[in-house]
Amino acid sequence: MASGGGGGCFEIGTVPFNPDGWGPPESTTTTSNSLPQHVPFAPFSRSEKLGRIADWTRNVYNNQSGRANNKNPADTVFDFTADDSFPLSANPDDDSFRLVDGKPPPRPKFGPKWRFNQHHRPQLPQRRDEEVEAKKREAEKERARRDRHYNQNRSNVNQTRREAAVFKSSVDIQPEWNMLDQIPFSTFSKLSFNVSEPEDLLLCGSLETYDRSYDRVTPKNERRLERFKYRNFFKVTTTDDPVIRRLANEDKATVFATDAILASLMCAPRSVYSWDIVIQRVGNKLFFDKRDGSQLDLLSVHETSQEPLPEAKDDINSAYSLSVEAAYINQNFSQQVLVRDGTKLTFDEPNPFANEGEEVASVAYRYRRWKLDADMYLVSRCEVQSVVDVNNQQQFLTLNALNEFDPKYSGVDWRQKLETQRGAVLATELKNNANKLAKWTAQALLASADLMKLGFVSRVHPRDHFNHVILAVLGYKPKDFAAQINLSTTNMWGIVKSIVDLCMKLNEGKYVLVKDPSKPQVRIYEVPPDAFENDYVEEPLPEDEQVQPPGEDAEVAEAVEVAVDVEDKAVDAQV
């Protein structure tokens, strides 16, 4: 068969005829020899475009301008881009055939649903996502800014200050000691125990009357803090108390302690510094003691504050120096706010720790007994420092002093705020000295004091730790003040009861309860019977220098005496 204008010919073979219908016949055996052999069959899909293979009749110059295309003229016979006889979208199904993602777009869990107005504003969901991301970034920036501000206020020094490397244990833990138990403070907050009203077994000592003129003291008419060098103060532990020994021999109780030791146990969850209490199990009796030179005799300053104190022990604002200064201030304040006209209220017995003819501080000891169980009683020695007549009735007072050493540490200047913002000053002290104020309140509750007086004593100059002035004196009822600082009486006794029950299960011997210096927990160690025997005396002193008031803490007495001597020299130098 000749091609149109080709000049050559080629055979196409025999095309079989199907007389029964369309398509090839069912049997092609007769013509199979004329078909091409080994021709592969190429399958195609619907997406492939089928058309003519070549068009030899097309003109190279097929555009209207008559100029040739830039393409190769030989390739134009295979180009059907301009041919409308085979449109690419002849089949409408081919237009809709696309690979699409059938998964629905993610929809935010919260906020308005945009599906109702997507056809009006299709960009709203994307815009909302951008706003959410922008808010998240702003929140992250604000959080980072607060963290930087918080860390700047605390400083890196304060973070290391709260570690055991700086807060050393109050007692050296020896390797031969056997740790029996450790109790986290988190368990203390869940304890509760109700005790009945205590009974007074004995009252000793004498009290002077409180001078009410100090209630009118203000920063504008401040009063100089006086020194009472010749009045003796006693910090006698439990087993050294002759009255407690007598009561123990008479089987008046099973457990014996002092109000300072009980207050430390009751307020243990608020403590930061390390402290320790010696526990002795003798027969069926339990004695809670403090060591000679114990931290319980000193008053902590800024214990619960986030502002770091200087670490150097010889710095006047270090924790140790401030503790000695606070003890010195507290003792002098408790004697200055009294009417010193010689009249005293005396009780059944004199001061059990004073020698004859010795001048002692105004203090009364109330030996009281509480019932802890059916056959278990607790006796404690409680202290009150003064008495006042209200409507012809005698009311007992406890006297304590808060001290300001440098306003930059607390952020509140007492001289400017005490008259106008007393609440702010007290709130700052409750934050910085939570443990100390809680222990004072617990001691007032144990003694059933009718009123607790808090003095606000400040340095004359922030760098002068010898001279002080009284700026104000405030009075509070112990129960009301305990409720104000969230101090629960049932929780306090619950802590004491749990520790007593734990110690009553121990064998006879000596133990020590230590507050961990770096963690909010206490540990109980079993120690040898001769532990803590005169461990505070490094070298034997001459006999004439060994005379101390009975039971008085040697270290505290010496520190206060040195402070008084240096103060006297400083005053003489100024004069």
Side-chain angles (χ1 to χ4, degrees):
M1 186 177 192
S3 63
C9 62
F10 60 89
E11 294 182 359
I12 62 173
T14 305
V15 177
F17 175 71
N18 185 7
D20 298 329
W22 297 94
E26 295 181 0
S27 176
T28 58
T29 56
T30 57
T31 59
S32 60
N33 295 332
S34 62
L35 293 177
Q37 299 295 323
H38 307 293
V39 176
F41 173 72
F44 61 90
S45 63
R46 295 178 58 196
S47 61
E48 295 177 355
K49 308 300 180 182
L50 301 179
R52 289 175 292 188
I53 299 175
D55 185 4
W56 303 97
T57 63
R58 295 189 62 181
N59 187 7
V60 177
Y61 302 97
N62 57 352
N63 55 0
Q64 297 179 357
S65 62
R67 289 178 298 181
N69 292 330
N70 293 331
K71 300 177 181 179
N72 188 354
D75 296 336
T76 58
V77 295
F78 304 100
D79 186 11
F80 296 95
T81 56
D83 191 357
D84 295 332
S85 60
F86 290 91
L88 296 178
S89 60
N91 190 355
D93 292 340
D94 293 341
D95 272 346
S96 62
F97 188 79
R98 291 184 179 87
L99 291 176
V100 296
D101 187 7
K103 188 165 56 176
R107 193 171 57 189
K109 294 182 180 180
F110 307 102
K113 299 179 180 179
W114 303 97
R115 63 176 182 271
F116 298 109
N117 49 4
Q118 278 184 349
H119 59 283
H120 296 296
R121 298 191 298 177
Q123 295 298 325
L124 280 178
Q126 181 180 2
R127 188 177 308 155
R128 181 178 177 273
D129 291 342
E130 293 175 356
E131 292 176 357
V132 171
E133 292 298 328
K135 290 181 179 179
K136 286 183 179 179
R137 288 194 295 269
E138 289 297 328
E140 289 294 335
K141 290 180 181 178
E142 179 65 20
R143 190 178 297 110
R145 186 191 67 80
R146 288 199 305 266
D147 290 344
R148 283 196 308 270
H149 183 67
Y150 177 72
N151 291 331
Q152 286 175 359
N153 286 343
R154 292 188 64 189
S155 77
N156 293 331
V157 178
N158 186 53
Q159 294 179 359
T160 60
R161 174 178 175 261
R162 297 293 172 184
E163 296 180 359
V166 178
F167 280 172
K168 297 181 180 179
S169 177
S170 60
V171 61
D172 293 332
I173 308 298
Q174 302 300 323
E176 64 270 14
W177 292 2
N178 181 25
M179 189 184 75
L180 302 179
D181 199 0
Q182 56 183 10
I183 310 170
F185 285 164
S186 57
T187 61
F188 284 164
S189 60
K190 306 172 186 177
L191 301 176
S192 178
F193 183 73
N194 290 313
V195 294
S196 57
E197 287 295 322
E199 58 175 324
D200 285 332
L201 300 180
L202 190 65
L203 274 77
C204 304
S206 59
L207 292 177
E208 298 181 32
T209 307
Y210 173 72
D211 188 354
R212 295 187 179 182
S213 65
Y214 281 89
D215 292 337
R216 297 186 293 272
V217 172
T218 63
K220 294 181 180 179
N221 61 342
E222 60 189 27
R223 296 198 187 184
R224 192 68 173 255
L225 184 67
E226 301 176 13
R227 299 182 301 276
F228 296 85
K229 296 189 298 182
Y230 303 106
R231 287 198 172 188
N232 293 324
F233 301 84
F234 304 100
K235 302 292 182 181
V236 183
T237 186
T238 308
T239 52
D240 292 340
D241 190 331
V243 177
I244 287 183
R245 289 191 176 189
R246 187 175 67 197
L247 295 176
N249 292 331
E250 296 173 0
D251 288 333
K252 293 293 186 180
T254 307
V255 186
F256 298 88
T258 64
D259 58 347
I261 294 175
L262 289 181
S264 298
L265 293 175
M266 292 175 169
C267 306
R270 303 181 185 227
S271 61
V272 176
Y273 297 155
S274 178
W275 47 267
D276 59 275
I277 294 174
V278 179
I279 304 170
Q280 297 189 63
R281 178 75 189 276
V282 181
N284 65 334
K285 292 182 174 55
L286 205 61
F287 295 89
F288 289 89
D289 279 304
K290 66 176 181 65
R291 293 183 300 106
D292 291 325
S294 172
Q295 295 292 329
L296 298 181
D297 291 332
L298 297 177
L299 299 178
S300 63
V301 180
H302 271 224
E303 179 179 358
T304 56
S305 171
Q306 296 298 329
E307 196 68 23
L309 294 175
E311 296 182 6
K313 193 173 182 179
D314 55 350
D315 193 301
I316 64 171
N317 290 335
S318 67
Y320 178 78
S321 299
L322 290 175
S323 296
V324 175
E325 180 183 356
Y328 164 76
I329 291 173
N330 197 71
Q331 290 181 357
N332 289 330
F333 171 80
S334 66
Q335 304 306 303
Q336 180 173 345
V337 295
L338 305 175
V339 178
R340 298 185 296 275
D341 57 358
T343 59
K344 295 182 180 181
L345 175 64
T346 58
F347 295 100
D348 303 336
E349 295 185 9
N351 193 312
F353 316 117
N355 297 323
E356 187 177 355
E358 186 178 16
E359 185 178 0
V360 297
S362 171
V363 62
Y365 301 107
R366 305 182 72 176
Y367 292 88
R368 321 190 79 195
R369 182 170 65 176
W370 288 266
K371 186 175 182 180
L372 298 183
D373 208 340
D375 54 351
M376 183 186 299
Y377 289 87
L378 181 145
V379 165
S380 175
R381 185 190 72 226
C382 307
E383 299 182 13
V384 290
Q385 286 79 36
S386 180
V387 65
V388 65
D389 288 333
V390 178
N391 298 328
N392 295 326
Q393 291 184 352
Q394 294 177 346
Q395 293 187 351
F396 293 127
L397 275 67
T398 61
L399 304 173
N400 298 105
L402 296 165
N403 60 306
E404 180 190 41
F405 57 97
D406 197 338
K408 75 176 183 179
Y409 283 93
S410 61
V412 179
D413 191 346
W414 288 2
R415 287 176 171 82
Q416 298 178 2
K417 303 292 185 180
L418 265 176
E419 280 194 290
T420 58
Q421 300 180 17
R422 289 187 175 183
V425 174
L426 184 60
T428 303
E429 289 303 305
L430 288 173
K431 181 185 70 172
N432 297 334
N433 298 286
N435 186 36
K436 180 169 65 175
L437 283 166
K439 288 197 294 185
W440 286 347
T441 308
Q443 289 177 258
L445 291 172
L446 290 172
S448 294
D450 301 287
L451 203 63
M452 51 185 297
K453 290 288 186 178
L454 292 181
F456 292 82
V457 180
S458 178
R459 292 177 180 174
V460 174
H461 188 272
R463 300 305 301 173
D464 181 9
H465 63 293
F466 299 121
N467 301 299
H468 304 83
V469 290
I470 302 174
L471 300 180
V473 179
L474 304 180
Y476 301 94
K477 292 184 178 180
K479 290 184 179 180
D480 297 342
F481 194 74
Q484 183 177 348
I485 64 176
N486 197 23
L487 187 65
S488 170
T489 306
T490 57
N491 177 248
M492 295 190 316
W493 281 107
I495 296 174
V496 173
K497 181 69 164 56
S498 65
I499 294 178
V500 168
D501 291 342
L502 179 63
C503 295
M504 291 301 291
K505 298 177 183 179
L506 302 175
N507 298 326
E508 287 193 45
K510 182 180 288 189
Y511 306 88
V512 61
L513 182 74
V514 183
K515 193 272 177 185
D516 193 289
S518 59
K519 297 179 182 179
Q521 64 181 13
V522 292
R523 297 178 177 177
I524 298 180
Y525 293 91
E526 184 179 7
V527 299
D530 57 349
F532 318 122
E533 296 293 338
N534 298 327
D535 57 349
Y536 64 98
V537 179
E538 297 181 359
E539 296 181 358
L541 299 177
E543 294 183 359
D544 57 345
E545 298 182 13
Q546 290 182 358
V547 178
Q548 291 282 349
E552 186 172 1
D553 177 21
E555 183 177 350
V556 177
E558 182 181 359
V560 174
E561 185 178 354
V562 170
V564 172
D565 292 341
V566 175
E567 179 181 358
D568 292 340
K569 294 179 182 178
V571 173
D572 295 339
Q574 292 177 359
V575 174

